[in-house]
Amino acid sequence: RKEVEQDPGPFNVPEGATVAFNCTYSNSASQSFFWYRQDCRKEPKLLMSVYSSGNEDGRFTAQLNRASQYISLLIRDSKLSDSATYLCVVNRVGAGGTSYGKLTFGQGTILTVHP
Amino acid sequence: EAQVTQNPRYLITVTGKKLTVTCSQNMNHEYMSWYRQDPGLGLRQIYYSMNVEVTDKGDVPEGYKVSRKEKRNFPLILESPSPNQTSLYFCASSLLGMRNYGYTFGSGTRLTVV
């Protein structure tokens, strides 16, 4: 089983749609979690960190479910500019919040928003 | 501007010819790391460094070397490149001790080994 798994998609949705991505992780040790966005042939860029209580940033909402070991990303009112690959990223951290340094990426979920 | 700078952006080389890909960050980050990205395999960690003179292997370290003599620089060295090292490489940096800080990536180096 892969350490971090995502549905690769692709997801093809019309503008204005709501779309949700899930990501599961296998290592139950204390973790920090992120969603990154990657445009074709470009570097990954941080979309949002995922907090234990869930968090929202405009049209984007991230949730963490530690019991089931998954995180999710919800995009509301999709825009054409949201078309990209969305990467789920997991990092192990110690009790004091210090990173162990080993970052694991999911394979990414491809989203295409069409007019 | 806060950034991670990689050079070169594109490189074509021949098998066995040593090369170095440079990475530099201006954010005073302790943590730096190298990744390679291949179709169907996603991003995989090669090496990482928690601070100056502290480096450790990631998931795919074979065929690569790194050094961290200064905080801002973290070069990736391929002593004897082979065609299976043809890939898109990214360098990233971050602050330690801040759980949800996130990682800043360089623009990538597309390496072809023939």
Side-chain angles (χ1 to χ4, degrees), chain A residues 43-85:
Chain A
E43 72 273 23
K45 292 188 176 177
L46 180 65
L47 181 65
M48 56 198 305
S49 302
V50 186
Y51 300 104
S52 296
S53 55
N55 47 301
E56 187 175 307
D57 182 2
R59 297 182 294 108
F60 300 86
T61 301
Q63 296 281 347
L64 167 63
N65 185 320
R66 285 191 184 274
S68 301
Q69 294 183 207
Y70 79 81
I71 66 173
S72 64
L73 177 69
L74 182 77
I75 305 176
R76 290 180 300 278
D77 189 23
S78 298
K79 312 290 185 192
L80 296 176
S81 57
D82 292 334
S83 297
T85 297

mmCIF file of all heavy atoms in Angstrom, chain A residues 43-85:
data_model
loop_
_atom_site.group_PDB
_atom_site.id
_atom_site.type_symbol
_atom_site.label_atom_id
_atom_site.label_comp_id
_atom_site.label_asym_id
_atom_site.label_seq_id
_atom_site.Cartn_x
_atom_site.Cartn_y
_atom_site.Cartn_z
ATOM 1 N N GLU A 43 6.454 24.262 -10.822
ATOM 2 C CA GLU A 43 6.698 23.781 -9.478
ATOM 3 C C GLU A 43 5.407 23.709 -8.670
ATOM 4 O O GLU A 43 4.479 24.494 -8.901
ATOM 5 C CB GLU A 43 7.711 24.688 -8.748
ATOM 6 C CG GLU A 43 7.197 26.048 -8.329
ATOM 7 C CD GLU A 43 7.325 27.091 -9.416
ATOM 8 O OE1 GLU A 43 7.398 26.719 -10.617
ATOM 9 O OE2 GLU A 43 7.354 28.272 -9.049
ATOM 10 N N PRO A 44 5.343 22.797 -7.705
ATOM 11 C CA PRO A 44 4.179 22.764 -6.800
ATOM 12 C C PRO A 44 4.128 24.044 -5.975
ATOM 13 O O PRO A 44 5.166 24.567 -5.547
ATOM 14 C CB PRO A 44 4.458 21.552 -5.902
ATOM 15 C CG PRO A 44 5.460 20.729 -6.636
ATOM 16 C CD PRO A 44 6.278 21.700 -7.419
ATOM 17 N N LYS A 45 2.915 24.523 -5.753
ATOM 18 C CA LYS A 45 2.738 25.720 -4.923
ATOM 19 C C LYS A 45 1.737 25.418 -3.822
ATOM 20 O O LYS A 45 0.716 24.768 -4.064
ATOM 21 C CB LYS A 45 2.258 26.889 -5.780
ATOM 22 C CG LYS A 45 3.324 27.368 -6.754
ATOM 23 C CD LYS A 45 2.927 28.640 -7.453
ATOM 24 C CE LYS A 45 4.081 29.105 -8.341
ATOM 25 N NZ LYS A 45 3.748 30.305 -9.114
ATOM 26 N N LEU A 46 2.052 25.902 -2.630
ATOM 27 C CA LEU A 46 1.204 25.629 -1.482
ATOM 28 C C LEU A 46 -0.177 26.245 -1.672
ATOM 29 O O LEU A 46 -0.312 27.457 -1.900
ATOM 30 C CB LEU A 46 1.855 26.184 -0.214
ATOM 31 C CG LEU A 46 1.076 25.972 1.082
ATOM 32 C CD1 LEU A 46 0.978 24.482 1.420
ATOM 33 C CD2 LEU A 46 1.727 26.741 2.225
ATOM 34 N N LEU A 47 -1.192 25.397 -1.584
ATOM 35 C CA LEU A 47 -2.571 25.878 -1.636
ATOM 36 C C LEU A 47 -3.051 26.173 -0.216
ATOM 37 O O LEU A 47 -3.512 27.255 0.083
ATOM 38 C CB LEU A 47 -3.451 24.825 -2.312
ATOM 39 C CG LEU A 47 -4.915 25.146 -2.486
ATOM 40 C CD1 LEU A 47 -5.087 26.330 -3.428
ATOM 41 C CD2 LEU A 47 -5.681 23.937 -3.013
ATOM 42 N N MET A 48 -2.921 25.172 0.645
ATOM 43 C CA MET A 48 -3.277 25.378 2.043
ATOM 44 C C MET A 48 -2.755 24.248 2.916
ATOM 45 O O MET A 48 -2.605 23.123 2.464
ATOM 46 C CB MET A 48 -4.791 25.522 2.229
ATOM 47 C CG MET A 48 -5.632 24.396 1.707
ATOM 48 S SD MET A 48 -7.380 24.865 1.484
ATOM 49 C CE MET A 48 -7.837 25.472 3.089
ATOM 50 N N SER A 49 -2.444 24.602 4.156
ATOM 51 C CA SER A 49 -2.162 23.597 5.158
ATOM 52 C C SER A 49 -3.500 23.054 5.650
ATOM 53 O O SER A 49 -4.530 23.711 5.509
ATOM 54 C CB SER A 49 -1.392 24.201 6.325
ATOM 55 O OG SER A 49 -0.194 24.773 5.877
ATOM 56 N N VAL A 50 -3.476 21.877 6.232
ATOM 57 C CA VAL A 50 -4.703 21.261 6.734
ATOM 58 C C VAL A 50 -4.600 21.152 8.237
ATOM 59 O O VAL A 50 -3.720 20.467 8.763
ATOM 60 C CB VAL A 50 -4.919 19.864 6.117
ATOM 61 C CG1 VAL A 50 -6.282 19.311 6.557
ATOM 62 C CG2 VAL A 50 -4.824 19.905 4.606
ATOM 63 N N TYR A 51 -5.490 21.814 8.928
ATOM 64 C CA TYR A 51 -5.476 21.811 10.384
ATOM 65 C C TYR A 51 -6.452 20.787 10.935
ATOM 66 O O TYR A 51 -7.420 20.405 10.274
ATOM 67 C CB TYR A 51 -5.823 23.203 10.915
ATOM 68 C CG TYR A 51 -4.845 24.258 10.464
ATOM 69 C CD1 TYR A 51 -5.180 25.153 9.453
ATOM 70 C CD2 TYR A 51 -3.581 24.343 11.020
ATOM 71 C CE1 TYR A 51 -4.280 26.116 9.029
ATOM 72 C CE2 TYR A 51 -2.682 25.308 10.599
ATOM 73 C CZ TYR A 51 -3.030 26.188 9.603
ATOM 74 O OH TYR A 51 -2.129 27.126 9.185
ATOM 75 N N SER A 52 -6.202 20.376 12.155
ATOM 76 C CA SER A 52 -7.004 19.307 12.756
ATOM 77 C C SER A 52 -8.488 19.645 12.786
ATOM 78 O O SER A 52 -9.343 18.775 12.621
ATOM 79 C CB SER A 52 -6.523 19.027 14.185
ATOM 80 O OG SER A 52 -5.209 18.555 14.171
ATOM 81 N N SER A 53 -8.785 20.925 12.981
ATOM 82 C CA SER A 53 -10.183 21.330 13.096
ATOM 83 C C SER A 53 -10.801 21.629 11.741
ATOM 84 O O SER A 53 -11.963 22.016 11.649
ATOM 85 C CB SER A 53 -10.270 22.566 13.988
ATOM 86 O OG SER A 53 -9.433 23.583 13.486
ATOM 87 N N GLY A 54 -10.023 21.458 10.678
ATOM 88 C CA GLY A 54 -10.506 21.836 9.355
ATOM 89 C C GLY A 54 -10.298 23.332 9.148
ATOM 90 O O GLY A 54 -10.265 24.105 10.105
ATOM 91 N N ASN A 55 -10.130 23.744 7.928
ATOM 92 C CA ASN A 55 -9.922 25.159 7.665
ATOM 93 C C ASN A 55 -10.395 25.529 6.270
ATOM 94 O O ASN A 55 -10.505 24.684 5.387
ATOM 95 C CB ASN A 55 -8.451 25.571 7.881
ATOM 96 C CG ASN A 55 -7.456 24.631 7.237
ATOM 97 O OD1 ASN A 55 -7.406 23.435 7.535
ATOM 98 N ND2 ASN A 55 -6.658 25.156 6.321
ATOM 99 N N GLU A 56 -10.677 26.808 6.132
ATOM 100 C CA GLU A 56 -11.264 27.310 4.895
ATOM 101 C C GLU A 56 -10.472 28.519 4.433
ATOM 102 O O GLU A 56 -10.013 29.327 5.239
ATOM 103 C CB GLU A 56 -12.722 27.707 5.181
ATOM 104 C CG GLU A 56 -13.537 28.096 3.978
ATOM 105 C CD GLU A 56 -14.991 28.346 4.343
ATOM 106 O OE1 GLU A 56 -15.603 27.458 4.972
ATOM 107 O OE2 GLU A 56 -15.491 29.437 4.020
ATOM 108 N N ASP A 57 -10.318 28.626 3.116
ATOM 109 C CA ASP A 57 -9.650 29.783 2.537
ATOM 110 C C ASP A 57 -10.409 30.144 1.277
ATOM 111 O O ASP A 57 -10.203 29.541 0.217
ATOM 112 C CB ASP A 57 -8.184 29.456 2.231
ATOM 113 C CG ASP A 57 -7.428 30.655 1.679
ATOM 114 O OD1 ASP A 57 -8.026 31.748 1.577
ATOM 115 O OD2 ASP A 57 -6.236 30.499 1.348
ATOM 116 N N GLY A 58 -11.334 31.076 1.399
ATOM 117 C CA GLY A 58 -12.149 31.454 0.252
ATOM 118 C C GLY A 58 -13.005 30.296 -0.226
ATOM 119 O O GLY A 58 -13.806 29.741 0.532
ATOM 120 N N ARG A 59 -12.798 29.887 -1.469
ATOM 121 C CA ARG A 59 -13.606 28.806 -2.038
ATOM 122 C C ARG A 59 -13.087 27.413 -1.671
ATOM 123 O O ARG A 59 -13.683 26.414 -2.064
ATOM 124 C CB ARG A 59 -13.600 28.957 -3.563
ATOM 125 C CG ARG A 59 -14.248 30.246 -4.061
ATOM 126 C CD ARG A 59 -14.259 30.331 -5.598
ATOM 127 N NE ARG A 59 -12.909 30.434 -6.163
ATOM 128 C CZ ARG A 59 -12.293 29.460 -6.822
ATOM 129 N NH1 ARG A 59 -12.894 28.280 -7.009
ATOM 130 N NH2 ARG A 59 -11.085 29.636 -7.331
ATOM 131 N N PHE A 60 -11.999 27.360 -0.976
ATOM 132 C CA PHE A 60 -11.333 26.091 -0.664
ATOM 133 C C PHE A 60 -11.520 25.719 0.818
ATOM 134 O O PHE A 60 -11.317 26.557 1.689
ATOM 135 C CB PHE A 60 -9.835 26.179 -0.975
ATOM 136 C CG PHE A 60 -9.545 26.493 -2.415
ATOM 137 C CD1 PHE A 60 -9.504 27.804 -2.867
ATOM 138 C CD2 PHE A 60 -9.318 25.477 -3.317
ATOM 139 C CE1 PHE A 60 -9.244 28.089 -4.198
ATOM 140 C CE2 PHE A 60 -9.055 25.751 -4.651
ATOM 141 C CZ PHE A 60 -9.022 27.064 -5.085
ATOM 142 N N THR A 61 -11.892 24.467 1.042
ATOM 143 C CA THR A 61 -12.039 23.963 2.399
ATOM 144 C C THR A 61 -11.281 22.656 2.533
ATOM 145 O O THR A 61 -11.436 21.760 1.694
ATOM 146 C CB THR A 61 -13.523 23.711 2.750
ATOM 147 O OG1 THR A 61 -14.254 24.926 2.627
ATOM 148 C CG2 THR A 61 -13.662 23.185 4.170
ATOM 149 N N ALA A 62 -10.468 22.557 3.573
ATOM 150 C CA ALA A 62 -9.701 21.339 3.823
ATOM 151 C C ALA A 62 -10.182 20.708 5.123
ATOM 152 O O ALA A 62 -10.494 21.410 6.088
ATOM 153 C CB ALA A 62 -8.211 21.659 3.909
ATOM 154 N N GLN A 63 -10.247 19.390 5.128
ATOM 155 C CA GLN A 63 -10.672 18.649 6.316
ATOM 156 C C GLN A 63 -9.672 17.537 6.590
ATOM 157 O O GLN A 63 -9.085 16.979 5.665
ATOM 158 C CB GLN A 63 -12.055 18.027 6.104
ATOM 159 C CG GLN A 63 -13.181 19.010 5.898
ATOM 160 C CD GLN A 63 -13.663 19.611 7.204
ATOM 161 O OE1 GLN A 63 -13.322 19.128 8.282
ATOM 162 N NE2 GLN A 63 -14.451 20.666 7.113
ATOM 163 N N LEU A 64 -9.527 17.224 7.868
ATOM 164 C CA LEU A 64 -8.656 16.125 8.292
ATOM 165 C C LEU A 64 -9.470 15.160 9.150
ATOM 166 O O LEU A 64 -10.154 15.588 10.079
ATOM 167 C CB LEU A 64 -7.473 16.672 9.091
ATOM 168 C CG LEU A 64 -6.621 15.666 9.871
ATOM 169 C CD1 LEU A 64 -5.948 14.679 8.927
ATOM 170 C CD2 LEU A 64 -5.594 16.392 10.725
ATOM 171 N N ASN A 65 -9.398 13.900 8.846
ATOM 172 C CA ASN A 65 -10.045 12.869 9.649
ATOM 173 C C ASN A 65 -8.954 11.895 10.106
ATOM 174 O O ASN A 65 -8.544 11.011 9.367
ATOM 175 C CB ASN A 65 -11.103 12.135 8.819
ATOM 176 C CG ASN A 65 -11.894 11.121 9.642
ATOM 177 O OD1 ASN A 65 -11.338 10.408 10.484
ATOM 178 N ND2 ASN A 65 -13.189 11.058 9.404
ATOM 179 N N ARG A 66 -8.480 12.094 11.322
ATOM 180 C CA ARG A 66 -7.372 11.268 11.824
ATOM 181 C C ARG A 66 -7.800 9.828 12.062
ATOM 182 O O ARG A 66 -7.028 8.899 11.868
ATOM 183 C CB ARG A 66 -6.814 11.863 13.115
ATOM 184 C CG ARG A 66 -5.966 13.094 12.898
ATOM 185 C CD ARG A 66 -5.226 13.465 14.170
ATOM 186 N NE ARG A 66 -4.473 14.686 14.015
ATOM 187 C CZ ARG A 66 -3.240 14.735 13.526
ATOM 188 N NH1 ARG A 66 -2.640 13.626 13.140
ATOM 189 N NH2 ARG A 66 -2.627 15.895 13.426
ATOM 190 N N ALA A 67 -9.027 9.641 12.498
ATOM 191 C CA ALA A 67 -9.494 8.275 12.803
ATOM 192 C C ALA A 67 -9.462 7.414 11.544
ATOM 193 O O ALA A 67 -9.066 6.249 11.579
ATOM 194 C CB ALA A 67 -10.897 8.328 13.390
ATOM 195 N N SER A 68 -9.877 7.995 10.431
ATOM 196 C CA SER A 68 -9.915 7.242 9.173
ATOM 197 C C SER A 68 -8.685 7.493 8.319
ATOM 198 O O SER A 68 -8.562 6.935 7.231
ATOM 199 C CB SER A 68 -11.178 7.615 8.386
ATOM 200 O OG SER A 68 -12.340 7.334 9.136
ATOM 201 N N GLN A 69 -7.819 8.367 8.788
ATOM 202 C CA GLN A 69 -6.554 8.673 8.096
ATOM 203 C C GLN A 69 -6.781 9.156 6.681
ATOM 204 O O GLN A 69 -6.224 8.611 5.716
ATOM 205 C CB GLN A 69 -5.600 7.457 8.146
ATOM 206 C CG GLN A 69 -5.147 7.168 9.565
ATOM 207 C CD GLN A 69 -4.143 6.025 9.655
ATOM 208 O OE1 GLN A 69 -4.058 5.354 10.676
ATOM 209 N NE2 GLN A 69 -3.376 5.797 8.625
ATOM 210 N N TYR A 70 -7.599 10.184 6.559
ATOM 211 C CA TYR A 70 -7.713 10.824 5.255
ATOM 212 C C TYR A 70 -7.885 12.324 5.414
ATOM 213 O O TYR A 70 -8.318 12.819 6.455
ATOM 214 C CB TYR A 70 -8.830 10.208 4.410
ATOM 215 C CG TYR A 70 -10.234 10.652 4.742
ATOM 216 C CD1 TYR A 70 -10.750 11.861 4.258
ATOM 217 C CD2 TYR A 70 -11.067 9.833 5.483
ATOM 218 C CE1 TYR A 70 -12.043 12.245 4.545
ATOM 219 C CE2 TYR A 70 -12.361 10.212 5.770
ATOM 220 C CZ TYR A 70 -12.848 11.422 5.290
ATOM 221 O OH TYR A 70 -14.123 11.791 5.576
ATOM 222 N N ILE A 71 -7.507 13.011 4.351
ATOM 223 C CA ILE A 71 -7.743 14.445 4.275
ATOM 224 C C ILE A 71 -8.520 14.725 2.995
ATOM 225 O O ILE A 71 -8.504 13.911 2.062
ATOM 226 C CB ILE A 71 -6.438 15.277 4.317
ATOM 227 C CG1 ILE A 71 -5.582 15.035 3.077
ATOM 228 C CG2 ILE A 71 -5.625 14.966 5.569
ATOM 229 C CD1 ILE A 71 -4.377 15.959 3.002
ATOM 230 N N SER A 72 -9.204 15.829 2.979
ATOM 231 C CA SER A 72 -10.020 16.158 1.819
ATOM 232 C C SER A 72 -9.849 17.620 1.454
ATOM 233 O O SER A 72 -9.438 18.450 2.273
ATOM 234 C CB SER A 72 -11.494 15.852 2.097
ATOM 235 O OG SER A 72 -11.972 16.672 3.140
ATOM 236 N N LEU A 73 -10.147 17.907 0.208
ATOM 237 C CA LEU A 73 -10.135 19.269 -0.300
ATOM 238 C C LEU A 73 -11.425 19.488 -1.064
ATOM 239 O O LEU A 73 -11.745 18.716 -1.966
ATOM 240 C CB LEU A 73 -8.936 19.509 -1.211
ATOM 241 C CG LEU A 73 -8.860 20.887 -1.864
ATOM 242 C CD1 LEU A 73 -8.580 21.955 -0.809
ATOM 243 C CD2 LEU A 73 -7.779 20.917 -2.945
ATOM 244 N N LEU A 74 -12.146 20.538 -0.711
ATOM 245 C CA LEU A 74 -13.391 20.884 -1.378
ATOM 246 C C LEU A 74 -13.203 22.216 -2.085
ATOM 247 O O LEU A 74 -12.742 23.184 -1.466
ATOM 248 C CB LEU A 74 -14.533 20.992 -0.363
ATOM 249 C CG LEU A 74 -15.922 21.302 -0.914
ATOM 250 C CD1 LEU A 74 -16.516 20.044 -1.540
ATOM 251 C CD2 LEU A 74 -16.842 21.814 0.186
ATOM 252 N N ILE A 75 -13.541 22.254 -3.348
ATOM 253 C CA ILE A 75 -13.466 23.498 -4.115
ATOM 254 C C ILE A 75 -14.886 23.862 -4.530
ATOM 255 O O ILE A 75 -15.558 23.099 -5.220
ATOM 256 C CB ILE A 75 -12.576 23.350 -5.370
ATOM 257 C CG1 ILE A 75 -11.188 22.840 -4.981
ATOM 258 C CG2 ILE A 75 -12.478 24.684 -6.103
ATOM 259 C CD1 ILE A 75 -10.281 22.564 -6.190
ATOM 260 N N ARG A 76 -15.312 25.025 -4.095
ATOM 261 C CA ARG A 76 -16.653 25.501 -4.462
ATOM 262 C C ARG A 76 -16.545 26.493 -5.608
ATOM 263 O O ARG A 76 -15.520 27.154 -5.786
ATOM 264 C CB ARG A 76 -17.315 26.179 -3.265
ATOM 265 C CG ARG A 76 -17.721 25.238 -2.143
ATOM 266 C CD ARG A 76 -18.383 26.031 -1.004
ATOM 267 N NE ARG A 76 -17.478 27.022 -0.456
ATOM 268 C CZ ARG A 76 -16.551 26.752 0.448
ATOM 269 N NH1 ARG A 76 -16.410 25.530 0.908
ATOM 270 N NH2 ARG A 76 -15.772 27.706 0.905
ATOM 271 N N ASP A 77 -17.626 26.596 -6.394
ATOM 272 C CA ASP A 77 -17.697 27.601 -7.463
ATOM 273 C C ASP A 77 -16.432 27.547 -8.324
ATOM 274 O O ASP A 77 -15.706 28.549 -8.458
ATOM 275 C CB ASP A 77 -17.892 28.993 -6.852
ATOM 276 C CG ASP A 77 -18.190 30.056 -7.894
ATOM 277 O OD1 ASP A 77 -18.673 29.700 -8.989
ATOM 278 O OD2 ASP A 77 -17.906 31.253 -7.623
ATOM 279 N N SER A 78 -16.158 26.411 -8.907
ATOM 280 C CA SER A 78 -14.920 26.198 -9.674
ATOM 281 C C SER A 78 -14.737 27.246 -10.764
ATOM 282 O O SER A 78 -15.696 27.642 -11.439
ATOM 283 C CB SER A 78 -14.949 24.811 -10.322
ATOM 284 O OG SER A 78 -15.018 23.803 -9.354
ATOM 285 N N LYS A 79 -13.497 27.659 -10.936
ATOM 286 C CA LYS A 79 -13.110 28.604 -11.982
ATOM 287 C C LYS A 79 -12.237 27.875 -13.008
ATOM 288 O O LYS A 79 -11.591 26.877 -12.684
ATOM 289 C CB LYS A 79 -12.313 29.766 -11.400
ATOM 290 C CG LYS A 79 -12.914 30.419 -10.169
ATOM 291 C CD LYS A 79 -14.151 31.193 -10.500
ATOM 292 C CE LYS A 79 -14.668 31.934 -9.256
ATOM 293 N NZ LYS A 79 -16.037 32.461 -9.473
ATOM 294 N N LEU A 80 -12.192 28.435 -14.208
ATOM 295 C CA LEU A 80 -11.305 27.863 -15.229
ATOM 296 C C LEU A 80 -9.863 27.806 -14.712
ATOM 297 O O LEU A 80 -9.121 26.860 -14.987
ATOM 298 C CB LEU A 80 -11.355 28.684 -16.509
ATOM 299 C CG LEU A 80 -12.689 28.717 -17.243
ATOM 300 C CD1 LEU A 80 -12.612 29.653 -18.446
ATOM 301 C CD2 LEU A 80 -13.097 27.325 -17.693
ATOM 302 N N SER A 81 -9.484 28.812 -13.948
ATOM 303 C CA SER A 81 -8.111 28.902 -13.440
ATOM 304 C C SER A 81 -7.808 27.864 -12.355
ATOM 305 O O SER A 81 -6.652 27.724 -11.943
ATOM 306 C CB SER A 81 -7.846 30.301 -12.876
ATOM 307 O OG SER A 81 -8.791 30.598 -11.856
ATOM 308 N N ASP A 82 -8.813 27.134 -11.900
ATOM 309 C CA ASP A 82 -8.563 26.066 -10.915
ATOM 310 C C ASP A 82 -8.025 24.802 -11.586
ATOM 311 O O ASP A 82 -7.605 23.867 -10.899
ATOM 312 C CB ASP A 82 -9.854 25.706 -10.164
ATOM 313 C CG ASP A 82 -10.341 26.817 -9.254
ATOM 314 O OD1 ASP A 82 -9.505 27.638 -8.815
ATOM 315 O OD2 ASP A 82 -11.561 26.884 -9.008
ATOM 316 N N SER A 83 -8.067 24.750 -12.903
ATOM 317 C CA SER A 83 -7.554 23.571 -13.625
ATOM 318 C C SER A 83 -6.078 23.389 -13.310
ATOM 319 O O SER A 83 -5.257 24.279 -13.542
ATOM 320 C CB SER A 83 -7.739 23.751 -15.137
ATOM 321 O OG SER A 83 -9.102 23.834 -15.459
ATOM 322 N N ALA A 84 -5.743 22.230 -12.763
ATOM 323 C CA ALA A 84 -4.376 21.949 -12.315
ATOM 324 C C ALA A 84 -4.353 20.535 -11.751
ATOM 325 O O ALA A 84 -5.383 19.851 -11.711
ATOM 326 C CB ALA A 84 -3.935 22.940 -11.238
ATOM 327 N N THR A 85 -3.193 20.124 -11.290
ATOM 328 C CA THR A 85 -3.068 18.882 -10.531
ATOM 329 C C THR A 85 -2.956 19.235 -9.057
ATOM 330 O O THR A 85 -2.175 20.125 -8.692
ATOM 331 C CB THR A 85 -1.832 18.085 -10.975
ATOM 332 O OG1 THR A 85 -1.976 17.708 -12.339
ATOM 333 C CG2 THR A 85 -1.671 16.827 -10.125
#
